[in-house]
Amino acid sequence: MREQFKEDLKKLKNSVLDVFDSVIVQFEDTLKLMDSFSEEDAERILRGDDVIDKKVLDVEEAGIQLVATQFPVARDLRFIHSMLIINIHLERIGDLIYNTVKALNRLNKMGYLTDEAKESLKKMGLSTLKIIKKSRNAFDSLDARVVEELPVLDEEVDEMFKNFLKDIQRISPSLKEPEWYLSFALIARYFERAADQAVDVGERVLFMITGKFAEID
Amino acid sequence: MNIKIKENAFEVRNLNLWYGKHKALEDITIDIVKNAITAIIGPSGCGKSTFLRCLNRMNDLIDGIRIEGKVYFEGKNIYDEGTDVVLLRKRVGMIFQQPNPFPMSIYDNVAFGPRLHGIRDRNRLDEIVKDSLEKASLWKEVKNKLNESALSLSGGQQQRLAIARVLAVEPEVILMDEPCSALDPASTQRIEDLMVELKANYTIVIVTHNMQQAARVSDFTAFLLAEENEPAKLIEYGETGQIFTNPKDIRTENYITGRFG
Ligand SMILES: Nc1ncnc2c1ncn2[C@@H]1O[C@H](COP(=O)(O)OP(=O)(O)O)[C@@H](O)[C@H]1O
Ligand SMILES: [Mg+2]
């Protein structure tokens, strides 16, 4: 029944997965900056955000057209609606990556991007990346058991965020430098926010599966 | 992304039509894209069927009708003198709201057109009947009762039989005038799925007063409207996705959102 519509839904899901993949590549590239920073690489990541924004808009347009032309109800409506919301979460994660790279640029220009600083940021970034990948997996598989793993990972990120604040005090070159402190703390905050967005994706996936709104924690 | 150059099956230019003194269509200019589904929507009585019948000169049969303008089919104006109208109607088939099968067997219904066009060889006819019924996704249901009366079929099956009958003469275009309005939702769904399948090989123009159907199945949508005591005009034409998310004309918007009048 409604073969074409089924195809269209599948296509929409694939487009969202494609946005996911672009976001993940952007995040991985950002973490590479913490091994060795280069301005060209940073520039490339910043430009990559425009590509993501374009893809996000395309998904949105396709979703709206499906709603307008296919009159989805029940599960189909839930799916399209959820995919559009997940799409927006992905755009936000993309923005957070963008902000992270901007802040890294500032730190680098001020000469504060020391090995110690990079090491500390990278640890937190890796756990964030893990949770984003897990949320992709949850969305792809529509498996509630995968969603349940998200809060555990999120706690890990929150824990790191706290440790990170301690790190800041330890490796701070001088507390007289508010710029340093601010950029550093912001990056940690961006990671923490990105992980929250990934958990929100998980909540949407649960809604897709069960039709119930639930917070997971 | 693949960019496909769209070819037109029809190019309608400044088409005007009168039933006696009553002008029904005014200055319709539209391209009908090949291998796509074009839906004609508009309020009841606005001239959708009239327009559709212009595409295979079905209107010629009506007394007192007058037509001005040009309808190019594959580049040739079908209203030019010397057009072979029988051949035109073979190339541009038509499905109506009521399937009205002939009171004869399922087999003979499908073989009717090919026989009319001179095919007599039994094996060839068998082949055409099977092939047409398969394309109309009716074969499985009727293959063991081809000699039973077509009148024994359900409404939805009769409509698919009507499609098989049209397909049997190997048309290029299928015109459908409200093909589902006498059918239940499940049969409607089958016809809609069938239309989408058929568009790979045929150009389809469907008239429907059901906007949801137009939205679901068509690639392009044309909105016809006859404003008070006026002949019908083409108000808007475009890709279906655009028409249903962002129509350019306020009258289209009012019609599709049900805010008319
Ligand atoms: N055979 C005919 N003779 C005279 N007037 C007709 C004939 N068929 C249609 N009309 C008139 O033309 C207008 C458009 O009709 P039609 O094309 O059937 O509209 P629709 O298919 O949109 O409901 C109506 O006013 C109708 O009364
Ligand atoms: Mg009509």
Side-chain angles (χ1 to χ4, degrees):
Chain A
M1 291 297 220
R2 298 189 76 178
E3 293 305 323
Q4 182 63 44
F5 181 44
K6 267 199 277 180
E7 274 304 302
D8 291 340
L9 281 177
K10 216 188 285 167
K11 255 199 242 159
L12 187 65
K13 184 176 177 190
N14 284 335
S15 310
V16 177
L17 283 171
D18 182 49
V19 179
F20 245 121
D21 290 336
S22 306
V23 166
I24 287 170
V25 168
Q26 285 276 92
F27 206 100
E28 285 170 343
D29 288 352
T30 304
L31 291 185
K32 280 183 204 143
L33 291 180
M34 291 165 197
D35 291 327
S36 65
F37 188 91
S38 95
E39 274 186 26
E40 294 96 85
D41 288 344
E43 219 22 74
R44 191 171 40 76
I45 299 171
L46 292 177
R47 279 197 308 273
D49 194 48
D50 292 340
V51 179
I52 291 181
D53 286 350
K54 170 79 176 57
K55 287 182 179 180
V56 164
L57 277 180
D58 288 346
V59 167
E60 196 166 335
E61 193 180 330
I64 287 177
Q65 287 211 354
L66 279 185
V67 172
T69 60
Q70 300 299 316
F71 311 93
V73 291
R75 184 176 185 271
D76 296 334
L77 177 60
R78 231 162 56 224
F79 269 49
I80 297 176
H81 177 67
S82 299
M83 284 197 262
L84 292 183
I85 289 182
I86 289 171
N87 189 44
I88 289 174
H89 286 307
L90 293 176
E91 196 216 337
R92 302 246 167 88
I93 296 178
D95 290 345
L96 291 166
I97 295 170
Y98 181 94
N99 293 338
T100 300
V101 174
K102 281 268 178 185
L104 282 173
N105 242 337
R106 282 198 301 275
L107 284 170
N108 183 57
K109 283 215 174 78
M110 294 183 287
Y112 293 141
L113 208 50
T114 60
D115 285 349
E116 218 181 2
K118 283 190 285 194
E119 192 54 39
S120 172
L121 285 170
K122 194 177 171 185
K123 255 193 292 172
M124 191 163 164
L126 279 173
S127 350
T128 306
L129 177 64
K130 207 154 91 183
I131 190 167
I132 294 173
K133 283 184 169 171
K134 187 65 81 180
S135 69
R136 183 201 186 278
N137 185 351
F139 172 66
D140 191 15
S141 63
L142 295 175
D143 183 342
R145 283 165 308 183
V146 182
V147 177
E148 280 160 20
E149 295 173 41
L150 291 171
V152 185
L153 295 175
D154 191 42
E155 257 167 51
E156 210 176 280
V157 175
D158 287 346
E159 198 54 39
M160 287 209 177
F161 184 60
K162 282 180 209 142
N163 290 335
F164 180 80
L165 293 177
K166 283 181 210 144
D167 273 4
I168 286 185
Q169 289 171 5
R170 186 168 52 79
I171 60 185
S172 161
S174 149
L175 283 179
K176 280 183 229 129
E177 301 277 4
E179 265 290 321
W180 182 91
Y181 182 85
L182 193 63
S183 295
F184 218 73
L186 273 176
I187 292 176
R189 187 70 184 160
Y190 295 148
F191 286 165
E192 195 236 350
R193 292 295 309 136
D196 285 347
Q197 299 278 344
V199 175
D200 289 344
V201 168
E203 283 172 359
R204 276 293 141 187
V205 170
L206 270 192
F207 175 68
M208 290 170 86
I209 306 169
T210 64
K212 295 197 180 77
F213 292 104
E215 264 193 44
I216 46 175
D217 45 33
Chain B
M1 209 168 76
N2 297 333
I3 296 173
K4 267 190 272 177
I5 308 274
K6 287 184 207 130
E7 280 179 69
N8 296 329
F10 291 98
E11 283 150 2
V12 178
R13 294 294 175 266
N14 311 100
L15 182 72
N16 293 276
L17 182 148
W18 292 259
Y19 288 113
K21 287 203 170 63
H22 169 68
K23 187 169 191 186
L25 298 178
E26 179 154 295
D27 205 30
I28 310 271
T29 289
I30 186 175
D31 292 339
I32 305 279
V33 177
K34 218 171 178 167
N35 293 116
I37 302 177
T38 299
I40 315 284
I41 61 169
S44 198
C46 75
K48 302 181 295 297
S49 299
T50 301
F51 172 73
L52 196 70
R53 288 194 300 262
C54 289
L55 299 180
N56 70 348
R57 292 189 54 173
M58 223 46 159
N59 287 322
D60 289 16
L61 312 171
I62 297 169
D63 271 350
I65 206 156
R66 186 157 67 85
I67 295 169
E68 276 178 11
K70 296 189 161 60
V71 176
Y72 296 98
F73 172 50
E74 299 288 335
K76 224 183 135 303
N77 181 14
I78 62 174
Y79 286 96
D80 276 352
E81 266 176 58
T83 298
D84 180 343
V85 180
V86 175
L87 177 64
L88 173 69
R89 295 198 190 122
K90 175 178 180 298
R91 295 174 72 193
V92 184
M94 194 148 188
I95 303 287
F96 303 91
Q97 177 176 345
Q98 294 298 337
N100 293 332
F102 304 130
M104 47 176 87
S105 73
I106 294 168
Y107 184 100
D108 288 337
N109 262 277
V110 182
F112 189 88
R115 279 178 176 141
L116 206 66
H117 288 98
I119 298 176
R120 289 277 175 272
D121 179 66
R122 180 72 195 198
N123 290 336
R124 180 78 193 102
L125 283 174
D126 285 355
E127 235 174 79
I128 292 173
V129 168
K130 176 167 190 258
D131 185 53
S132 308
L133 287 167
E134 274 176 344
K135 283 183 186 150
S137 82
L138 186 60
W139 175 249
K140 281 197 196 117
E141 289 152 72
V142 301
K143 65 177 177 197
N144 295 321
K145 49 175 184 178
L146 292 174
N147 293 318
E148 282 177 31
S149 166
L151 300 173
S152 67
L153 297 172
S154 73
Q157 289 173 324
Q158 287 186 7
Q159 196 57 298
R160 276 179 282 141
L161 180 69
I163 293 173
R165 230 161 54 186
V166 165
L167 294 177
V169 298
E170 300 181 332
E172 292 152 60
V173 179
I174 308 172
L175 308 177
M176 299 185 169
D177 194 348
E178 312 259 9
C180 301
S181 46
L183 304 182
D184 62 272
S187 306
T188 297
Q189 190 54 62
R190 293 204 65 158
I191 303 278
E192 288 182 6
D193 281 344
L194 179 58
M195 280 164 49
V196 173
E197 252 171 62
L198 290 174
K199 80 171 172 187
N201 299 306
Y202 306 88
T203 301
I204 296 176
V205 186
I206 176 178
V207 160
T208 174
H209 65 256
N210 179 340
M211 270 179 311
Q212 301 198 352
Q213 178 167 65
R216 281 193 301 263
V217 301
S218 72
D219 303 292
F220 299 92
T221 297
F223 173 50
L224 282 186
L225 180 66
E227 283 167 308
E228 254 182 279
N229 301 321
E230 299 266 325
K233 295 188 187 110
L234 177 66
I235 302 298
E236 187 163 354
Y237 170 65
E239 291 196 13
T240 298
Q242 178 252 312
I243 297 277
F244 282 87
T245 53
N246 189 17
K248 304 247 177 311
D249 193 292
I250 185 70
R251 290 166 294 182
T252 314
E253 173 113 25
N254 286 342
Y255 181 67
I256 64 176
T257 55
R259 285 196 181 82
F260 237 116

